[in-house]
Amino acid sequence: MFERRQFLALTGAGALAGMFPSMLRAQAALPTGYPANYQEVVEASRSEPNLLMYGGVAPAQMTRLFDGFKKLYPWLSVDYLEGDNYGVIERYLNEVGTGSPTASLIFAAAPDAWLNLIARNEVLDYGSPETAAYADHASSPHPGLYTGGGDPVVFMWNSLVVPENLRPTRFEDMVEVVRSHPEIFNGKLTSYGAHLTGFGYSVHYTLAKHHGDKIWDWYSVVGPQTRYERSMGTMIEKTLSGEYALAYLAANQSARVAVQDPSVADILGISYTLDGCPISVRGLGITKSGKSPNAARLMLDYLLSRDGQIAYASAGKLPARMDIRQEELDGADIRSSFVEQVGEANVLPIGYDPEMPKQYETFVAKWKAANGIA
């Protein structure tokens, strides 16, 4: 289900542009270090329709980013449509197929769906002026596909239900506490299902590659006690109420945002998965079929910039840039502090593995059998 949100709208912007063009143009200073011909992109954006952007991040978590963008380019309006990470890419392809208006920019953690877009030649080849700040971009499957952020998985528990000594930080430890304390955990675990969502599949697939054969024995313990969900919002709500005691392989950003509320923080506890932590890679790319390619370039570059990354990460998300400092995020985690906590060997990026979509049916069948799902 998609919910339309319009941001950055300037009431009467078109009229103002006609009456006071020099006033508006004076606000469009080039970012430091950008090439002089970047002004051509800025100028071309003025004649484009509203930037239509699809993403898998809640609108409220994009507000600070959009506010910063508005200050740079006040004549631009952005229509942001939120949906499931895989769903927004599917929507784009459906609209291309029917010739309907569609997104010029997509921001979604859906690696195999991005591979499909690339195979269909639907991603614009664009070299951002911010590329040099992203050493990992060299491994991108397409020069126009960038990483705008990451989201590690976490354990999330109800502190009123789970005693401190039973709160896991490792998947293997979780298996043991579930096995030894059925009075707390039986039927009260939750997670994303590999059989229910693309995100769930990618997380379980990545974890299984890391742990090897022993993961199947672990699943046989925790799977029968797990009720799988499609939505992190549902997991948070039911863990808060005590219906669930513990969530595993849960989405970090939603959990971090939830505990910014002191009343929630008194109940919910969070920990990274320290013996192997899958981290979703949130892809960012300009589409071939959108009608605002220059406005899309401006938004992509801003999101990748230092200011854009700080604004994006302010809502509990992990920035992709390496040159962000923790004090710029009020002490929240950055990439280096995350790696320090879990260890380099236990950072498991959910990357653009071409084998992942090919293995779907085989993996899910084995996963369901191990988890006791008919």
Side-chain angles (χ1 to χ4, degrees), residues 70-323:
K70 177 180 179 178
K71 291 177 182 177
L72 288 177
Y73 310 109
W75 64 89
L76 287 177
S77 294
V78 178
D79 290 341
Y80 178 69
L81 274 67
E82 179 213 1
D84 172 83
N85 284 285
Y86 284 80
V88 293
I89 293 180
E90 182 180 355
R91 178 187 179 114
Y92 169 80
L93 289 173
N94 288 339
E95 289 168 344
V96 170
T98 61
S100 303
T102 192
S104 294
L105 187 66
I106 296 176
F107 187 37
D112 43 333
W114 275 111
L115 291 176
N116 185 30
L117 275 187
I118 292 167
R120 292 169 178 252
N121 196 32
E122 286 292 342
V123 179
L124 192 70
D125 187 349
Y126 175 60
S128 171
E130 300 289 345
T131 302
Y134 291 82
D136 294 346
H137 186 64
S139 62
S140 172
H142 188 281
L145 178 59
Y146 291 84
T147 298
D151 194 21
V153 299
V154 294
F155 293 111
M156 179 182 69
W157 56 81
N158 184 313
S159 300
L160 304 179
V161 176
V162 182
E164 187 171 357
N165 64 319
L166 300 182
R167 299 168 188 171
T169 58
R170 302 167 72 250
F171 203 93
E172 187 171 14
D173 294 341
M174 178 187 67
V175 174
E176 291 309 311
V177 298
V178 169
R179 195 197 315 265
S180 58
H181 293 276
E183 73 283 3
I184 295 175
F185 297 106
N186 275 13
K188 299 192 74 174
L189 303 180
T190 189
S191 188
Y192 289 100
H195 60 320
L196 295 180
T197 67
F199 177 73
Y201 168 62
S202 66
V203 167
H204 287 282
Y205 176 88
T206 301
L207 191 71
K209 283 188 66 175
H210 177 69
H211 285 298
D213 288 341
K214 61 186 176 183
I215 194 74
W216 305 110
D217 292 332
W218 293 351
Y219 279 140
S220 71
V221 175
V222 300
Q225 310 309 330
T226 302
R227 293 158 59 187
Y228 296 101
E229 300 287 358
R230 297 175 180 271
S231 161
M232 186 62 187
T234 302
M235 291 188 215
I236 291 172
E237 179 183 340
K238 293 184 177 181
T239 305
L240 269 173
S241 71
E243 183 175 341
Y244 295 144
L246 174 71
Y248 60 95
L249 302 181
N252 174 67
Q253 72 174 41
S254 298
R256 300 287 178 189
V257 170
V259 298
Q260 289 177 4
D261 181 337
S263 65
V264 173
D266 288 340
I267 300 173
L268 290 186
I270 303 169
S271 169
Y272 292 127
T273 309
L274 301 184
D275 58 347
C277 192
I279 175 171
S280 64
V281 174
R282 198 166 294 280
L284 178 67
I286 302 168
T287 70
K288 283 281 186 73
S289 298
K291 301 301 183 185
S292 304
N294 291 292
R297 288 178 173 94
L298 297 181
M299 176 61 83
L300 181 147
D301 293 337
Y302 177 65
L303 204 162
L304 296 178
S305 71
R306 289 194 85 259
D307 287 347
Q309 285 282 288
I310 291 169
Y312 169 71
S314 66
K317 297 176 286 296
L318 197 67
R321 284 183 74 115
M322 295 294 290
D323 58 351

